[in-house]
Amino acid sequence: MEKAKVYFTSVLEPQSLVKLYEKLGVKLPGKVAVKLHSGEDGNKNYLKPDFVKEIINHLNGTVVECNTAYVGQRDTTEKHEKLLEKHGWSKHFPVDILDSKEELILTNENGTIIKKNIVGKNIENYDSMLMLSHFKGHPMGGFGGALKNISIGLASSNGKRYIHTSGKEDATYEDLFKSDHDSFLMSMADACKTITDYYKENIVYINAMVNMSVDCDCCEDADDPCMKDIGILASTDPVALDQACIDLVYNSNDPGRDELVERIESKNGLLTIEAAAKQKVGIKDYELINID
């Protein structure tokens, strides 16, 4: 089987994201959604508008987000829109909260744990998508990259609860912490498959390995980064992309890598990659191509 191509640069400049996208050889058609993490109020680690503005403008893209399942400044459309403005997203780009009005059910009949994914209905307004992810640790998933952004990131508020609880209907906030953990990780993979099936070849992925804390951008008071920045990677395969990022962490000589590895392994985070590969979201074998 041919290996997936993953492109890498250590040059941490806005133009690098455009260069990586062009290396993929894919022209995203029509109206392009750019899914990123807008950053919880108080979080300092999320990718900032100045860093990603060139790639968003290059694609004439719309920044898209979904409301959260946890209490914070992004759990309702009204609060989320105010935070998008505060963090500068609305100032620089058109923005769209995908689940601001209605939801859409996407199905995966071959899902291991869940057979459906609940996303924001506004996803129907976009012909293609750039999944622009901040690679870092995560307090529940072990790590957050492309696969988490495709699944939890694109799920509606209700859909996030559904994935977190491995398919519990009408799940509450309290239910988020009661589900079997490995089932949650595999549910993310099942949800990923619905998105890759939906967009087919009209979705590409960029991971930025910067500000790598053990905590997610969802955390208001996230830990400071534990590792030095590594670089930016891009691929048409989200499984290969996340696997390449994991390998760069594991193979790093940075003294802080042990802290991030401990977070990944303590939450069995690698299971998400394994489960996504089994769901044929992508493949783990890749060729890392340095464009510096």
Side-chain angles (χ1 to χ4, degrees):
M1 181 182 293
E2 185 177 355
K3 294 181 179 180
K5 289 181 170 61
V6 178
Y7 296 90
F8 170 84
T9 179
S10 60
V11 181
L12 300 173
E13 297 177 353
Q15 184 62 28
S16 293
L17 283 80
V18 178
K19 290 180 179 179
L20 284 166
Y21 167 74
E22 291 178 338
K23 283 290 183 181
L24 296 176
V26 175
K27 182 173 175 56
L28 293 177
K31 191 173 182 181
V32 182
V34 179
K35 173 63 181 75
L36 48 74
H37 199 301
S38 55
E40 185 55 70
D41 194 25
N43 188 282
K44 302 293 194 300
N45 297 327
Y46 68 94
L47 302 181
K48 307 301 190 297
D50 283 347
F51 184 65
V52 300
K53 64 182 179 182
E54 290 198 27
I55 184 61
I56 296 175
N57 291 336
H58 182 74
L59 297 171
N60 194 27
T62 298
V63 169
V64 302
E65 259 281 34
C66 292
N67 292 322
T68 63
Y70 62 84
V71 177
Q73 295 306 308
R74 301 186 305 131
D75 62 331
T76 68
T77 298
E78 181 181 10
K79 288 193 289 184
H80 204 162
E81 286 176 341
K82 288 180 180 178
L83 191 60
L84 284 163
E85 183 175 356
K86 178 180 178 180
H87 283 178
W89 299 110
S90 306
K91 176 181 177 181
H92 296 286
F93 317 106
V95 299
D96 185 4
I97 298 176
L98 298 178
D99 61 332
S100 59
K101 295 180 180 178
E102 296 181 71
E103 296 174 327
L104 176 70
I105 304 296
L106 303 178
T107 59
N108 175 7
E109 293 301 326
N110 294 317
T112 303
I113 304 296
I114 59 174
K115 308 295 184 182
K116 70 177 182 180
N117 185 22
I118 309 168
V119 302
K121 189 172 175 58
N122 288 3
I123 198 174
E124 294 181 319
N125 297 333
Y126 301 93
D127 303 293
S128 57
M129 179 172 285
L130 167 64
M131 189 62 55
L132 182 52
S133 306
H134 176 204
F135 187 90
K136 69 288 181 191
H138 192 277
M140 293 188 73
F143 77 94
L147 296 173
K148 179 181 177 294
N149 205 4
I150 305 168
S151 55
I152 293 292
L154 274 178
S156 67
S157 181
N158 184 40
K160 287 177 172 64
R161 286 188 288 269
Y162 189 78
I163 295 171
H164 269 286
T165 58
S166 308
K168 180 178 173 60
E169 300 287 352
D170 301 319
T172 65
Y173 173 75
E174 290 74 20
D175 291 327
L176 299 182
F177 308 99
K178 298 177 182 178
S179 177
D180 175 72
H181 185 72
D182 285 357
S183 295
F184 153 60
L185 298 176
M186 290 187 285
S187 293
M188 281 202 291
D190 293 339
C192 286
K193 180 62 173 170
T194 70
I195 299 300
T196 54
D197 282 352
Y198 182 84
Y199 276 114
K200 297 182 171 60
E201 71 276 6
N202 294 325
I203 182 169
V204 298
Y205 311 87
I206 295 178
N207 281 4
M209 299 185 74
V210 300
N211 298 337
M212 287 182 289
S213 167
V214 296
D215 287 328
C216 181
D217 298 338
C218 307
C219 302
E220 178 180 349
D221 187 22
D223 276 6
D224 291 336
C226 60
M227 291 183 67
K228 292 180 180 178
D229 296 343
I230 291 179
I232 313 167
L233 298 86
S235 183
T236 58
D237 186 316
V239 174
L241 181 60
D242 277 0
Q243 183 65 59
C245 291
I246 288 288
D247 291 343
L248 286 170
V249 169
Y250 273 65
N251 294 328
S252 173
N253 294 322
D254 189 306
R257 56 82 74 188
D258 292 348
E259 186 177 353
L260 186 51
V261 168
E262 192 280 332
R263 173 55 60 89
I264 294 167
E265 294 185 349
S266 68
K267 301 300 179 181
N268 201 20
L270 301 183
L271 177 59
T272 305
I273 294 178
E274 297 288 346
K278 288 180 180 178
Q279 281 291 309
K280 298 183 179 180
V281 173
I283 60 175
K284 292 175 59 180
D285 292 333
Y286 64 90
E287 176 188 4
L288 189 65
I289 303 168
N290 193 326
I291 68 166
D292 289 351

